Structures are given as C-alpha cells and as structure tokens.
Amino acid sequence: MRAAPFFFIMLTTLLSAAQVSAFDYWQTLPSSPVIPENNLQTPEKIALGKQLFFDSRLSQRGDVSCNSCHNLSMGGDDDGAAMNMPGRDIIRSAPSVWNVGYMSTYFWDSRAASLEAQATEHLLDPNIMAMQNATLLEARLKNISGYAGIFANTFADKQISLQNITQALASFQRSLIVPGSRADQYIAGNKAALNEKEERGYHLFQEQGCLSCHFGTNFAGPAPGPGLKMGDAFFELYPTVRGSLYEQKYDMLSDLGYFHVTLDPEHKLFWRVPPLRNIADTAPYFHNNAVNDLHEAVRVMNRVQFNYPITEKQVDDIVAFLKTLTGQYPTIELPRLPESHGVSLVQ
Amino acid sequence: MRAAPFFFIMLTTLLSAAQVSAFDYWQTLPSSPVIPENNLQTPEKIALGKQLFFDSRLSQRGDVSCNSCHNLSMGGDDDGAAMNMPGRDIIRSAPSVWNVGYMSTYFWDSRAASLEAQATEHLLDPNIMAMQNATLLEARLKNISGYAGIFANTFADKQISLQNITQALASFQRSLIVPGSRADQYIAGNKAALNEKEERGYHLFQEQGCLSCHFGTNFAGPAPGPGLKMGDAFFELYPTVRGSLYEQKYDMLSDLGYFHVTLDPEHKLFWRVPPLRNIADTAPYFHNNAVNDLHEAVRVMNRVQFNYPITEKQVDDIVAFLKTLTGQYPTIELPRLPESHGVSLVQ
C-alpha cells in the first residue's frame, strides 16, 4: 500500500499504538452498529421510526418524507433528484441511509454528532422538511390520534416530543443494515467470492491509495467503537492535489465543506470521508452530485487525491471491485400510517 | 329515499328496466373489479406494476413516483400536498388509488376511459411525471438493466414499451382492494357492525339524498359490469342548487369540469361522481381540495346539491357513517427496484 495522502483526523481519542498495530483496514460489516446508551433499540421504537420515516406529514407542506430522498426501494438515496427539486435550495447530495448507523458523524461536513441531531436538523431545515419549529411539529403529530398510543407504548415519558421523534427515527435508521456483499464474503476469507477482475480491483483499491481513507466497517474511515467516540470525525481534503482541470469541471472549490461549520481557514475543503458500501447504487457522486458515472468518479479521485498514474483498465478493475460492495438489502414492509380522520393536517 | 337530484348519466348502454328493478343501491365491494380482456391479471404483471408505481425514475426529474401522491401507506392520496408542490401547476386533488379498479372512467372530469389511458396521461403530463414523450420514457427504463428481464418475463412481446408500462401499472392498481369496511359488513346483513349513531347516519345518507348519486360498489354510481361498459361515465352537476355563499367561498365556479373535455356548454360544472370508500382518509375534499373537513364537506354537499334542511346532529351522524366506509388495508411489501449501476438516469 502506498503512503496515505494528507488527511486530517479530528479524534478526541486517538487510536493507541497497540490498537493501530492490530488494526485491519479491511473489515466486514458487524451485525449491528454501536447503539448509544441513551437510545437503546426496542422493536416498538424501530417500528415507530419506520412509520415516521415514511410519513410525509413530517414535512411542512406534506410533500416529502425521509424516504422521498433516502429511498429504501433503492440505494437509500435520491439519484440526485433532491438538488433539482423546484422550490428547495438543496446544495449537497443526499447520502445513502443504508448502513448509516456505522458512521461516527453526519452530513457531508460532519456537523451532526449523532443520527438524532441529524434528524432534528433535517426536520427544521427550511429547504428539507421545513417544519418551522419543534412545537409545530409536535402539535401536528398530536393531531394524529393514532400516534398518541404508539408514542405512549414506546417511550417511558409517553410524550410526542421532538426528542422522541428523533430517537425513533434514529433507531429505525440503525436497523437499516445491508450485509453480505461479495466484498464482505471475500474479506471474511471466501476467495471465490470475487472473480479475477474484481480481485485485481480489490488489490488496486489498496495499492492505488483508496483504502488509506476508505477503510474500515463502512469504507469511510474509523467507525464508532473502542477508540472512537460518536461525534469524532474523519476528514479528507478534497481536492488534495491541486491544479487539475477537474476543479472547475466538477465545481470542487465553491463549497468549502467543514470550513462552513468552524469558519477556521484550515478547514477549507475538508469533507467527511463518505462511505462506499452500495456505491454502485448511489450515483451521482461527490457532495455536489457533479460526477454521474462511477468510472469517472474513480478517475477524478485518483487525479485530485493522489495524481498517480492509472490506466483505463485499472479504473475498470476498481469499478468492478466497487460493485462488489453492494450487499443484500433486507425486505421492508410498507408501514401503515395513522390517519387524521376527516381532515388533512398539511393543507 | 327522496327523489334523486338532477344528474346526468352518459351511458352508451342504459340499464334496462328489468335491471333497474333488481338494482340495489347499497352494495358491498366485490372481491375483484372487472378485469379487461386485453389486460388480464398475472402475478408477474402485478409485481412489475408495483415496482413501476414506486419508481420515481418514471418522472422526468426523478423527484416523484406514483406513490408520492397516491400514498399506499395512507388513504391512497396526498393529503392535498400535490396542489401545493412548488414547480408544478396541479389544479385538482389527487384521488385515492385504493379500489380504483372499480371505477368506469378516470380523472375528476372523466376524460380517461381506462386505468391504462389514465397512466399514459399522468406519465406525459408536464405537471405530473413530465416525461417528454414515450420514447424517452422507454429509453430510460431500457437503461435499467434489471427491467429488461422483468418485462421479458411479463409480456409476450417482451418489450419495454409505454403500452406494457401502463398495462403493468393498471394491473397493479386493480389489485389495490380495501375490503371489509364496517359498512360492507352492515350491508351484507351484520346489523351489529354499526353502532346506533352510525346506523342513523346510514339512514340519513339515504333519506337526505346522498345515495342517489353515491350508490353502488364504490359509492360513485354504477360500476363496470353488466349494463355499464368501461368508459361510460356517471356525472353530477356541482353545484346543482345555485346561489349559495359556498360557491365563492370554496371556488366552485372557476373550474368547469367536464366542459373542458367536450367544450359543450351543457357540460359546464359536470363532474364524475367521486367514490366515497375510505373517505375519512382522503381529506381535503372536492376536486379543488377546497374543504378540509368532512363535516363541512357534508354541509356543503347538502346545501349545493339538495338544499334540504339538515341539523348539525344529522351532519355528525352522516360523518359517523362515512367513517365506517374505511376498509381493511392490505399489507404491502416495499418493492426493490432494479438499479442503473454506477450512474443516475435522472441527472
């Protein structure tokens, strides 16, 4: 493996030397993400979270649910549609919600330290769900009689509150696990799981440098667990190698990423390393959806992160490997939502 | 039952006198709608239709699927959201897709004679799915490799064509049946299915005149079967009794309904009689979503269709009966959609 490119880890607890020596860059998907102690999983909470995830009444105009842009019939994203939606000023790609529980921070710029915080921000963002405030959101759900009993059966305080809404949404999302990719089988030791071309891609992914950032559980750097707390972020400078024509072609310099969170000039163009699982199902690519082809995404990353020589055959091999990161999506029963009988709440 | 108000039936084959004498205004939901001979139901076609129904790539920008506005997690409609969607000029309420196979025509103005024709129009309507033409729609689905095999297994001609797309969508929609409402149980003879208040509403629904238009299988007039061909429409003049303050308050006179289809002045303000099944789950009401309360909808209909005396208690009883028209929604597994690997088709 070549040396890692310049990157920046904001870890309050760095991995100890002993942990590093035992660390395996190639990891399979654990059966569950780390569950926070202040929001333990229960079947009731997951079921309620699923209802809320599909409930467009969580948006002010009633026109979108979480599932509208994080589509569980597909790769958990939106095919790039949200950035083109009329009446909304959405500037970044909707990331996949599958396996999202394995991340340590949320949003492209890492500004939310938990799924719960991320959900709160989505609900109140005027360009996304656009609820004006928590009170109005809570009042709306309180007007849906069926939710009262469901919240009462789910939470000790029995309340329909923003906190409980976001806890349920986060619990459901932590259950959205896509295991069993052929890459996982290969990493676990089944060398027959990849064909020759994919195996070449696997080795190139490491040798070319991709793995130096896209390692670990979610191919997004360290995952929460021993040595990494929730909220600790793993960033990458993008682009790292400056001066390519791609910078203008794919508009790489106008959105400064993490800088917008801290206003620290040293954080300009820092981005949370995005996960690569199911990457073949989440085009278009990059924070701004600028590249709509996985081959081109590999070419671009190689140029602006490493600027190593690469052939088209090598790009094709890496893409073949990336396609083996697609797991076995679970089946999901469409939830039935409680009604506000005889009246619409979004009119 | 009081005399029927003025209404207008455009039937190429009128019910014969013998059929009329045997006709029962109160009918339960048959186990299946009439299936057209040129689009017989098959499990494959229904399954494909479900995928297409949930596939937002059938819209030009990829931002809505059929299910976005005909939400199967709820009453099969949109809570009125579509008319408020930015960037779309939608002037009429999205009707429920549940039990839609029991209708003889489609759209509020009855302009489509089949579910297949209705689907074609939705796909190409610049304000709805907004595909520019059939060729572009077909080309998009042909770029999703997984669909090729599914269409080949489903249709004799194996083609991804607009005709096959709309046939599959129609077949799926004919499977969207919500049986077992308490009203059905009552009509079938189980007099314990309604409580006293609901039973009073049942009788008032008939005595006050509602049943004179909202009769039959779908409480929308005659259903396709012996004596009524698909494409035959059952219209109502709305408002029938002119001069109420509601006309302005609920904007009843600006959209002329069926007149826009025929341009025949005699058809001004004619509307297809809407179905009432699951009506408590499909607020807001009327073609323009003008009334967001079922009680008010009953008051308005009584005033502008009959102008009979009615008390608030009677309105409340009728609403109680209308709420018994909600059936037992089937569970639906979220379909998994074939992907266009490594590229988005809606960018």
Side-chain angles (χ1 to χ4, degrees), chain B residues 225-275:
Chain B
L228 183 76
K229 292 202 319 293
M230 276 303 297
D232 291 339
F234 182 62
F235 290 100
E236 185 181 354
L237 177 65
Y238 168 85
T240 293
V241 183
R242 296 294 296 273
S244 79
L245 295 174
Y246 288 136
E247 290 178 5
Q248 190 169 3
K249 184 173 184 184
Y250 297 127
D251 190 24
M252 293 182 186
L253 307 179
S254 64
D255 186 340
L256 297 175
Y258 188 50
F259 167 77
H260 294 299
V261 180
T262 65
L263 300 181
D264 179 341
E266 296 207 354
H267 296 158
K268 284 183 180 175
L269 300 174
F270 273 91
W271 296 93
R272 191 193 65 167
V273 174

Side-chain angles (χ1 to χ4, degrees), chain B residues 37-330:
Chain B
E37 284 184 21
N38 61 1
N39 190 17
L40 297 177
Q41 299 287 78
T42 67
E44 293 78 12
K45 219 188 288 177
I46 294 170
L48 170 58
K50 182 164 88 164
Q51 291 181 304
L52 297 171
F53 191 86
F54 280 87
D55 196 332
S56 55
R57 293 168 297 187
L58 267 62
S59 66
Q60 196 269 328
R61 282 192 298 259
D63 55 349
V64 293
S65 68
C66 306
N67 192 64
S68 298
C69 297
H70 299 281
N71 186 350
L72 296 178
S73 287
M74 302 189 68
D77 71 330
D78 67 336
D79 280 352
M83 282 181 64
N84 300 327
M85 266 190 192
R88 286 184 158 83
D89 185 19
I90 293 178
I91 60 166
R92 294 186 187 150
S93 179
S96 174
V97 76
W98 291 111
N99 301 317
V100 77
Y102 298 93
M103 300 302 290
S104 62
T105 66
Y106 295 93
F107 294 108
W108 281 93
D109 57 15
S110 189
R111 66 184 183 273
S114 67
L115 273 169
E116 290 80 356
Q118 165 273 330
T120 301
E121 190 168 328
H122 271 69
L123 289 164
L124 302 178
D125 185 326
N127 284 304
I128 303 181
M129 307 302 271
M131 297 303 299
Q132 288 165 284
N133 55 55
T135 308
L136 285 173
L137 171 61
E138 292 161 357
R140 181 177 285 180
L141 293 201
K142 286 174 186 171
N143 276 321
I144 302 165
S145 59
Y147 271 134
I150 299 172
F151 276 79
N153 285 334
T154 303
F155 293 101
D157 70 5
K158 301 183 183 301
Q159 296 304 302
I160 295 179
S161 62
L162 178 62
Q163 177 174 316
N164 287 344
I165 291 166
T166 58
Q167 288 219 341
L169 282 168
S171 291
F172 173 59
Q173 288 172 67
R174 291 191 181 101
S175 79
L176 296 174
I177 300 168
V178 185
S181 74
R182 290 196 290 117
D184 281 301
Q185 296 169 37
Y186 184 86
I187 293 165
N190 174 12
K191 296 305 174 192
L194 302 190
N195 66 29
E196 277 184 39
K197 181 186 182 68
E198 292 157 351
E199 199 168 27
R200 283 199 305 273
Y202 167 89
H203 290 294
L204 280 166
F205 186 83
Q206 182 160 333
E207 291 157 13
Q208 205 70 16
C210 318
L211 188 69
S212 58
C213 290
H214 293 287
F215 62 86
T217 294
N218 234 357
F219 297 87
L228 183 76
K229 292 202 319 293
M230 276 303 297
D232 291 339
F234 182 62
F235 290 100
E236 185 181 354
L237 177 65
Y238 168 85
T240 293
V241 183
R242 296 294 296 273
S244 79
L245 295 174
Y246 288 136
E247 290 178 5
Q248 190 169 3
K249 184 173 184 184
Y250 297 127
D251 190 24
M252 293 182 186
L253 307 179
S254 64
D255 186 340
L256 297 175
Y258 188 50
F259 167 77
H260 294 299
V261 180
T262 65
L263 300 181
D264 179 341
E266 296 207 354
H267 296 158
K268 284 183 180 175
L269 300 174
F270 273 91
W271 296 93
R272 191 193 65 167
V273 174
L276 295 189
R277 288 188 175 275
N278 310 304
I279 188 74
D281 293 349
T282 63
Y285 301 106
F286 301 113
H287 64 274
N288 57 358
N289 283 339
V291 175
N292 188 15
D293 177 79
L294 191 50
H295 285 81
E296 180 72 348
V298 171
R299 279 182 217 111
V300 168
M301 282 303 280
N302 185 76
R303 173 63 185 82
V304 308
Q305 300 305 104
F306 315 112
N307 201 20
Y308 296 154
I310 195 166
T311 67
E312 272 305 294
K313 179 170 179 294
Q314 289 174 317
V315 169
D316 202 47
D317 289 347
I318 291 174
V319 168
F321 167 67
L322 290 175
K323 289 185 174 178
T324 72
L325 291 174
T326 302
Q328 291 162 13
Y329 295 100

